[in-house]
Amino acid sequence: MKAVVQRVSKASVIIEREKVANINSGLLVLLGIVDDDTQEDIKWLSNKISNLRIFSDEDGIMNTSLLQTQGDAIVVSQFTLHASTKKGNRPSYLLAAKPDVAIPLYEAFVKQLETDLGKKVQTGQFGADMKVELLNDGPVTIIVDTKNKQ
C-alpha cells in the first residue's frame, strides 16, 4: 500500500461537475493498493498518516500531527501510484490491485483512518474520473509505502 500525503490549506474532489469532497486545513491522501496488501498494512499506514508530524507548531516547526491539529482528510484511490515505467514510455499498471481486491481494502483503510482520527474522512469515488483540486501547503508532500516499514 502506497500513499502520497499532501498537507493542504484546502482540497476538493469533483466528479461530473459535482463537488463530492471538500476540506480546509488537513491532508489529501492519494492511496494505491496492490494484491498482497493486508489489514496489517491498513492499520500501520493509517497510524503513520494520523501521526505524521508535518504541521507547524506554535514556533513554526513541523512538529504537530493531523491528529493533534484535528484537521480534516480526503482519501482518493490512485492505482497509478503503482505504475511501472521500466520499459518503454507507456506505464504498466499490472502491480495495482484489481477492483475486487482494491475496493474492500480502500474502504477498510478509510474506516481505519476515521477510527484513528476520531472523525469522518471524506473520499473520492473508487474508479471514477475525478478532478482533484488542492492548495498544497508548504509545499509538503510525503510518500509512505507499507513495503518500506523498516
Side-chain angles (χ1 to χ4, degrees), residues 12 18 32-33 39 45 61 65-66 77 82 107 123 129 131:
S12 62
E18 180 185 345
I33 298 167
Q39 187 64 36
L45 184 60
I61 303 206
S65 69
L66 183 64
S77 62
H82 291 289
E107 291 172 349
T123 66
D129 180 21
K131 308 301 181 213

Side-chain angles (χ1 to χ4, degrees), residues 62-75:
M62 285 198 296
N63 198 28
T64 309
S65 69
L66 183 64
L67 189 58
Q68 292 168 310
T69 65
Q70 298 181 336
D72 293 315
I74 297 178
V75 178

Side-chain angles (χ1 to χ4, degrees), residues 12 17 19 33 35 56 68 75 110 133 139 149:
S12 62
R17 291 184 229 130
K19 196 174 280 190
I33 298 167
D35 285 333
S56 297
Q68 292 168 310
V75 178
V110 171
E133 296 179 326
K149 292 179 195 171

Side-chain angles (χ1 to χ4, degrees), residues 33-115:
I33 298 167
V34 295
D35 285 333
D36 64 350
D37 285 329
T38 65
Q39 187 64 36
E40 180 183 320
D41 292 316
I42 288 168
K43 287 180 181 177
W44 183 87
L45 184 60
S46 177
N47 181 64
K48 180 64 76 175
I49 289 170
S50 299
N51 291 289
L52 273 177
R53 293 175 12 194
I54 58 174
F55 291 88
S56 297
D57 64 14
E58 60 276 354
D59 296 322
I61 303 206
M62 285 198 296
N63 198 28
T64 309
S65 69
L66 183 64
L67 189 58
Q68 292 168 310
T69 65
Q70 298 181 336
D72 293 315
I74 297 178
V75 178
V76 175
S77 62
Q78 187 79 41
F79 75 94
T80 60
L81 290 180
H82 291 289
S84 173
T85 57
K86 275 186 168 181
K87 295 182 181 179
N89 293 318
R90 183 173 184 204
S92 167
Y93 304 106
L94 293 175
L95 292 176
K98 301 289 184 264
D100 62 319
V101 171
I103 291 172
L105 291 171
Y106 169 76
E107 291 172 349
F109 175 79
V110 171
K111 285 181 183 170
Q112 183 65 53
L113 190 59
E114 287 177 336
T115 298

